[in-house]
Amino acid sequence: MSAESVHFETRIRSANQEVVIGRGHRFCLIGERINPTGRRIFQEQLRAGDLSAIDRDVAAQVAGGADVLDVNMGVPLTDEADLLAKAIIKIQSLTDKPICIDSSVVEALEAGLSVYQGRALVNSITAEDERMEQILPLVKKYDAAVIALPNDVDEIPMEPEKRLDLVQKIIDVATKEYGIAMHDIVIDPLAMPIGADTASGVATFETMRRIRDEHGLNMTCGASNVSFGMPERHSLNGTWLPMAMMMGLTSAIMDARTPQIVQAVKAADLFMGHDDWGMEWIGRARAAKAAAEAAASQEAAAGA
């Protein structure tokens, strides 16, 4: 089908706040930091039942501009289902930001969904039959939206055509077999590390363009993947994201603590007509100036 004029809106909610992901809206920043991967101390704290670091992570991501918080509690040698449920309950007590529940363990996803007060985004499924059979019933049961990756048990395809074939398979299974609405399917177009294959960037952009034009679906990705293994990663990510936005990317899972990258996204929103009268851009600039002046005043007072 042609989706050139179709702009699907994916709506996710906390108990008190709704976020809309869509081409007619500001880019959705999904804060990635609440994740123990590669964080040894955080993992040790979680194994000991200490969730206090989550307070700092939530505060830092929200302060940086995150609209949604991705939550992953995948720590070896723990009860991930119990840990994820406790983390979600804690986060809901700290912020009204909606949550993206991130786990490869089906039991953990259900535990998280069962305690979440709102409409979650589930991260994620692939085009593998088993994964869809396990997770899509939960997505339907809890009225969630879902992130879907166009790879299967055989490969992560590099060719846009193969990725689009798997996108179509996901759409067919989710909508026809499980009754999930098109607007609740968010595609991850598979942003691969540019350092491993410099042709991967063009392939991903073409995949995004075709998903946008042929299906009108919203898209997200792990934004930091594109620069993995390369120097000056912030510059690469800050350049890539606005380019991806022009191809139809409507959200990204990223570290909102990085002002250079967040600023690039906000500037792109302004130029793409998603920031009426530049009010968010102006507001952020004024807030940053006020914070800098307050910090300078405190420093001067401390040195007096």
Side-chain angles (χ1 to χ4, degrees):
M1 77 176 181
S2 174
E4 185 62 33
S5 61
V6 176
H7 295 192
F8 283 118
E9 293 184 338
T10 305
R11 296 177 179 270
I12 56 177
R13 295 184 297 274
S14 66
N16 301 304
Q17 187 176 130
E18 181 176 79
V19 169
V20 181
I21 304 173
R23 284 165 58 190
H25 298 268
R26 289 198 298 265
F27 193 78
C28 178
L29 304 181
I30 304 175
E32 70 179 6
R33 183 64 177 171
I34 310 170
N35 188 325
T37 303
R39 301 174 63 188
R40 180 182 58 81
I41 294 175
F42 189 25
Q43 289 186 21
E44 291 173 356
Q45 291 172 330
L46 292 174
R47 285 195 192 98
D50 179 4
L51 278 64
S52 61
I54 290 175
D55 295 53
R56 296 192 301 273
D57 288 340
V58 168
Q61 295 293 286
V62 171
D67 303 297
V68 175
L69 298 176
D70 185 87
V71 182
N72 181 301
M73 290 286 118
V75 182
L77 306 178
T78 63
D79 182 344
E80 185 177 339
D82 180 65
L83 200 56
L84 185 58
K86 288 177 178 175
I88 289 172
I89 291 169
K90 181 178 181 63
I91 292 163
Q92 290 178 118
S93 73
L94 298 171
T95 180
D96 280 338
K97 299 294 181 182
I99 290 176
C100 176
I101 302 177
D102 182 355
S103 179
S104 60
V105 178
V106 177
E107 294 78 10
L109 285 175
E110 177 143 36
L113 286 164
S114 69
V115 300
Y116 183 61
Q117 299 174 24
R119 189 167 200 269
L121 179 61
V122 170
N123 188 10
S124 58
I125 62 167
T126 63
E128 298 171 63
D129 293 335
E130 182 180 0
R131 291 296 290 171
M132 289 193 285
E133 289 170 4
Q134 291 174 330
I135 296 171
L136 288 176
L138 292 179
V139 172
K140 182 65 175 178
K141 176 182 177 180
Y142 289 97
D143 186 31
V146 64
I147 296 171
L149 289 74
N151 62 275
D152 59 16
V153 69
D154 296 321
E155 63 175 341
I156 298 177
M158 295 307 298
E159 301 86 351
E161 191 66 39
K162 289 185 178 180
R163 294 183 189 182
L164 267 293
D165 288 344
L166 292 177
V167 168
Q168 187 63 60
K169 176 183 176 180
I170 291 165
I171 290 171
D172 289 343
V173 172
T175 60
K176 296 176 183 177
E177 296 185 23
Y178 295 97
I180 294 169
M182 284 278 285
H183 58 252
D184 286 329
I185 303 169
V186 179
I187 300 295
D188 182 333
L190 300 175
M192 308 302 289
I194 195 68
D197 180 2
T198 52
S200 66
V202 173
T204 299
F205 287 147
E206 177 62 10
T207 302
M208 291 176 182
R209 183 195 65 78
R210 290 191 58 186
I211 291 170
R212 178 196 70 191
D213 293 349
E214 295 176 23
H215 298 292
L217 294 173
N218 286 309
M219 288 177 269
T220 195
C221 69
S224 61
N225 289 352
V226 298
S227 63
F228 183 78
M230 293 292 282
E232 302 294 340
R233 295 187 67 186
H234 292 346
S235 294
L236 289 174
N237 293 345
T239 300
W240 183 84
L241 273 167
M243 296 172 71
M245 290 166 68
M246 288 298 295
M247 292 294 108
L249 192 72
T250 46
S251 66
I253 301 170
M254 55 186 280
D255 191 345
R257 300 174 306 163
T258 313
Q260 180 180 351
I261 301 173
V262 174
Q263 286 287 83
V265 168
K266 298 302 182 181
D269 270 337
L270 177 60
F271 286 115
M272 292 174 69
H274 298 156
D275 181 4
D276 290 343
W277 302 103
M279 294 308 295
E280 182 174 4
W281 181 266
I282 294 167
R284 287 178 63 87
R286 288 175 175 169
K289 181 180 179 182
E293 290 174 349
S297 296
Q298 289 178 352
E299 186 177 344

